[in-house]
Amino acid sequence: MAPGTTRNGTRRSERSRVAILTATRELIGEVGYAKLTIEAIAARAGVGKQTIYRWWPSKGAVVFDSLLALGEAPDGGRELPDTGDVEADLKAVLRATAAEFSDPAFEAPIRALNTEIINDPELAALYREKMEGPTRAAKLRRLRSARDAGQLAADADLDLLVDLLFAPLAQRWLLRSGPLDDDFADALVDAALRAFRPA
């Protein structure tokens, strides 16, 4: 699909798109997902609700795009830092992830998206394709670089390492079972790397 076009091939107004996605994030923070309506988004964005229905098939899809827009950057915003020190780089990434999870502007829409994904297989597939897949690939590229540099064991299972690093953070956020702070982020990196360092 060409940038700026809808699934029907019609051109979007970039100004309207940004207004709609911004309004969506703002309203989720104010009223929550359950009370979020297309009508309210349209009113906040200053567009007709038919514009939103023409561009997105569901409320969940609008929420998903509003989250994708947070990560928009000229380079796609996908690459992890690579200073040559995998421990420092991973700690920086996990600290930033923990801070993002704690940011109300991010937390409300991502919780809403997770709720919607449970009940919408098409949205779940879109999430894996557009968000989870590219992000995981970037994590694996950084770990592969560290393995090639001898900072990780030559036989390290990098997929497993990604899960050991990030899944506990997501679990603690999902269940609100503990603080999401730098100490927790650093402890995850320390524990995971101990298991995957060269012998």
Side-chain angles (χ1 to χ4, degrees):
M1 184 182 296
T5 63
T6 71
R7 53 203 173 95
N8 297 324
T10 55
R11 295 291 300 175
R12 294 184 181 183
S13 158
E14 182 63 15
R15 181 180 297 175
S16 293
R17 185 186 78 91
V18 171
I20 290 164
L21 299 180
T22 301
T24 300
R25 289 192 300 270
E26 290 174 351
L27 285 166
I28 288 175
E30 293 170 15
V31 304
Y33 183 77
K35 294 182 179 178
L36 179 69
T37 65
I38 295 296
E39 289 78 7
I41 295 170
R44 174 71 62 92
V47 302
K49 66 179 182 180
Q50 69 277 7
T51 299
I52 298 176
Y53 284 122
R54 187 167 63 246
W55 292 347
W56 289 278
S58 66
K59 181 172 76 171
V62 184
V63 171
F64 176 71
D65 272 4
S66 78
L67 284 171
L68 279 182
L70 285 175
E72 285 178 351
D75 64 354
R78 299 292 186 188
E79 296 307 316
L80 273 63
D82 189 347
T83 65
D85 182 342
V86 69
E87 179 180 339
D89 292 345
L90 289 175
K91 285 181 176 179
V93 169
L94 264 74
R95 285 181 175 203
T97 303
E100 189 173 59
F101 276 150
S102 301
D103 180 355
F106 174 85
E107 183 179 23
I110 197 65
R111 283 193 184 278
L113 180 62
N114 274 274
T115 300
E116 196 70 8
I117 282 173
I118 291 170
N119 300 306
D120 187 339
E122 289 185 9
L123 187 60
L126 187 63
Y127 174 82
R128 288 192 301 272
E129 176 190 351
K130 299 291 187 181
M131 189 176 286
E132 172 61 20
T135 300
R136 188 176 186 89
K139 294 170 183 174
L140 289 170
R141 283 193 295 273
R142 178 62 188 95
L143 294 177
R144 203 171 292 118
S145 172
R147 188 176 61 187
D148 292 345
Q151 296 178 353
L152 299 174
D155 62 350
D157 183 335
L158 300 185
D159 276 299
L160 179 59
L161 179 52
V162 168
D163 290 338
L164 290 174
L165 285 166
F166 290 92
L169 196 66
Q171 179 78 357
R172 180 173 282 200
W173 169 78
L174 185 65
L175 299 179
R176 297 186 170 100
S177 58
L180 292 173
D181 53 22
D182 290 351
D183 288 343
F184 183 59
D186 290 353
L188 288 175
V189 174
D190 289 340
L193 290 183
R194 271 197 301 271
F196 285 86
R197 292 281 195 194

